[in-house]
Amino acid sequence: MAKIQGTCEEFCPDGEIKMRVRERIIHFFELKNGQKNVPGILVKEFTRSAADVKMPKREDMRTVQCLTRTVEYLLKEIVMDTRMPYRMAYDFIFDRLRAVRREIVIQMLDAQQTAKLLEPIVMFLAYSRYRLCAEPIDMFDAKICNQHLQECLTGVLCCYKTFDEDETASSPTIRDLQRRCFIESVYQVFNLGCPESLERGLTLPEHVRQDPTFKLSFQMSLSYHQGNLYRVLLAMPKLPHILCALAATKLQIIRRRILQMFTHAYNKQFNVPGSYLLRVMLIGSPEHLTQQCRHYGLEVSKELEREPVLCSRSVFKNPEETKLLYIPGVGNVPKAVLFNKSNFINSAETIKEQHEPFVDSKLKKVYLPEVLLLKKFT
């Protein structure tokens, strides 16, 4: 198949603009100042390939420079537009970025061009995966987001492989190296504990393996593979912004596994202090801990504690004999949780992901477009 090189320098080809204005197919974010049926900046829509559709013309395909400007426009202007809920901005950006990805394939762009276009898309999908994790499935489908994130990651990693195998390629810049290290870290965190990701991590160039962020991400993935969930949770808050957010989408699975492990370790033998569980499971509120335990059928004492204390079963038999205690800055914490293998509800669905305070505090400190466009890494 002959290679097509786009010539369009606008976000949307002229033919599509005329058709969409005529048919009034204009998205809210493409309206001028929100005025009904008044077109502003239109961005090319994603359309599926079909057997009876002719090959796109050169004038309908955007140049590499235009594709780059399109990605920057979407991740600078639209992602920061607060006139509508973020999920609407996500749907719009997601569709327009799919159109960019389609043109990458049709034009058969080289590895250098492809990587620079796909890297910000990876960041956008990783951020949105956390930002919209609490939305109902009819508003946001996490599986579709995961699928596209994995596809984009795979595409970028293939480009990196091409770089490593090309002996004639020019030396990468410091910014290129930083971008690669961060994307490699995203791959490790997204595929936590996966043998393929760990194998890749061991074969990467030295400069990537020695990068502090990648080392932390790789060690975290290795700990997950080994079943050392405490080390995973210990490393999670140390990750920078988007990596921390992406890792937090795995938290509910990790918390469930920890509770399952504790039902074997402490089965009918000990009552585990609530304050200890708050720290170990990275839970920010006592109410959240109580919800977690009761969801899986574990018994929580109605009494409260101020400091970690190993409680006896008498707490449950005679709760009125136990004094009410309090943790400053945290609140009333369940005194203890009784772990019993027979009580754990293995058939219970894993609790849906939610926003975590330690992640939100990191994201509030960054300017999102800089992070998504990989201009700031910490």
Side-chain angles (χ1 to χ4, degrees):
M1 184 173 64
K3 182 177 178 179
I4 299 176
Q5 186 173 358
T7 59
C8 177
E9 291 291 350
E10 303 297 331
F11 291 163
C12 188
D14 187 59
E16 181 177 324
I17 291 177
K18 291 177 180 178
M19 182 275 294
R20 289 174 58 197
V21 170
R22 182 178 66 251
E23 300 294 333
R24 295 187 177 181
I25 310 174
I26 304 176
H27 195 279
F28 171 82
F29 292 108
E30 296 175 319
L31 296 172
K32 187 174 182 179
N33 299 323
Q35 301 176 59
K36 188 175 181 180
N37 297 327
V38 180
I41 300 176
L42 273 66
V43 184
K44 186 176 181 179
E45 284 186 313
F46 170 75
T47 54
R48 295 182 180 277
S49 301
D52 59 343
V53 176
K54 295 181 180 179
M55 182 64 67
K57 299 177 182 178
R58 294 179 62 190
E59 56 267 26
D60 293 332
M61 306 294 291
R62 290 166 290 185
T63 64
V64 175
Q65 294 76 17
C66 182
L67 290 173
T68 302
R69 292 199 308 273
T70 302
V71 172
E72 291 178 350
Y73 168 74
L74 293 170
L75 300 186
K76 279 183 180 179
E77 303 299 329
I78 306 300
V79 83
M80 297 298 287
D81 194 324
T82 57
R83 292 176 296 168
M84 300 293 284
Y86 180 77
R87 65 174 181 270
M88 290 193 65
Y90 166 79
D91 290 338
F92 176 75
I93 297 172
F94 180 84
D95 177 86
R96 275 34 178 191
L97 290 180
R98 284 191 76 182
V100 172
R101 289 162 55 194
R102 183 170 182 266
E103 290 196 33
I104 291 174
V105 175
I106 294 175
Q107 298 191 54
M108 293 186 284
L109 301 183
D110 62 35
Q112 189 82 24
Q113 297 166 334
T114 300
K116 289 196 173 181
L117 288 169
L118 286 182
E119 286 168 343
I121 300 177
V122 166
M123 296 294 288
F124 165 73
L125 292 172
Y127 169 74
S128 299
R129 179 64 183 84
Y130 172 78
R131 174 76 179 264
L132 297 172
C133 67
E135 295 287 338
I137 192 169
D138 58 328
M139 297 293 182
F140 172 71
D141 193 327
K143 287 186 177 179
I144 291 178
C145 186
N146 286 344
Q147 175 189 341
H148 284 267
L149 176 53
Q150 192 71 275
E151 288 176 2
C152 291
L153 276 170
T154 301
V156 177
L157 299 187
C158 288
C159 294
Y160 294 159
K161 182 179 179 182
T162 302
F163 299 159
D164 294 338
E165 294 175 348
D166 187 1
E167 297 180 355
T168 62
S170 57
S171 300
T173 64
I174 294 178
R175 178 55 59 87
D176 290 337
L177 296 177
Q178 289 176 320
R179 290 165 71 103
R180 176 172 183 176
C181 290
F182 203 93
I183 295 297
E184 294 280 6
S185 301
V186 171
Y187 180 69
Q188 292 295 325
V189 170
F190 184 62
N191 295 281
L192 211 58
C194 178
E196 289 80 6
S197 65
L198 293 172
E199 181 180 356
R200 177 179 177 82
L202 293 171
T203 58
L204 289 171
E206 183 71 13
H207 70 267
V208 178
R209 287 186 284 115
Q210 294 304 317
D211 178 74
T213 300
F214 177 80
K215 287 173 71 174
L216 181 60
S217 303
F218 179 78
Q219 187 58 52
M220 185 175 160
S221 182
L222 181 60
S223 297
Y224 188 88
H225 179 74
Q226 294 170 337
N228 193 335
L229 302 182
Y230 177 70
R231 283 189 176 273
V232 175
L233 294 179
L234 203 63
M236 199 173 291
K238 299 177 183 177
L239 293 170
H241 41 76
I242 302 298
L243 284 175
C244 188
L246 185 61
T249 62
K250 315 283 186 181
L251 258 179
Q252 297 297 353
I253 297 174
I254 295 174
R255 286 167 178 161
R256 178 189 177 119
R257 286 186 58 187
I258 287 177
L259 291 176
Q260 283 181 311
M261 292 166 65
F262 277 21
T263 58
H264 290 76
Y266 300 111
N267 182 37
K268 300 180 182 179
Q269 300 298 318
F270 302 103
N271 300 322
V272 180
S275 55
Y276 170 73
L277 288 173
L278 281 175
R279 185 173 67 254
V280 167
M281 296 172 66
L282 280 186
I283 294 179
S285 70
E287 295 78 17
H288 187 190
L289 173 62
T290 301
Q291 173 200 5
Q292 288 270 336
C293 295
R294 288 179 176 168
H295 178 80
Y296 296 115
L298 301 175
E299 188 175 358
V300 180
S301 74
K302 297 179 180 178
E303 296 306 309
L304 313 171
E305 69 167 345
R306 180 173 56 198
E307 57 188 34
V309 179
L310 190 60
C311 308
S312 67
R313 293 189 187 182
S314 62
V315 171
F316 297 97
K317 295 177 181 177
N318 305 298
E320 66 281 354
E321 297 178 5
T322 307
K323 295 180 180 180
L324 300 183
L325 301 174
Y326 176 80
I327 297 183
V330 176
N332 297 325
V333 180
K335 184 148 189 156
V337 177
L338 176 62
F339 286 95
N340 189 329
K341 276 194 295 187
S342 60
N343 289 346
F344 193 92
I345 306 174
N346 290 292
S347 60
E349 290 187 5
T350 303
I351 295 175
K352 186 175 176 61
E353 303 106 326
Q354 59 190 29
H355 291 172
E356 303 292 337
F358 71 94
V359 177
D360 293 339
S361 64
K362 286 177 178 282
L363 294 177
K364 285 179 181 178
K365 297 176 182 177
V366 300
Y367 179 56
L368 191 57
E370 279 188 337
V371 171
L372 298 183
L373 293 170
L374 289 156
K375 295 181 179 179
K376 187 173 182 179
F377 302 95
T378 57

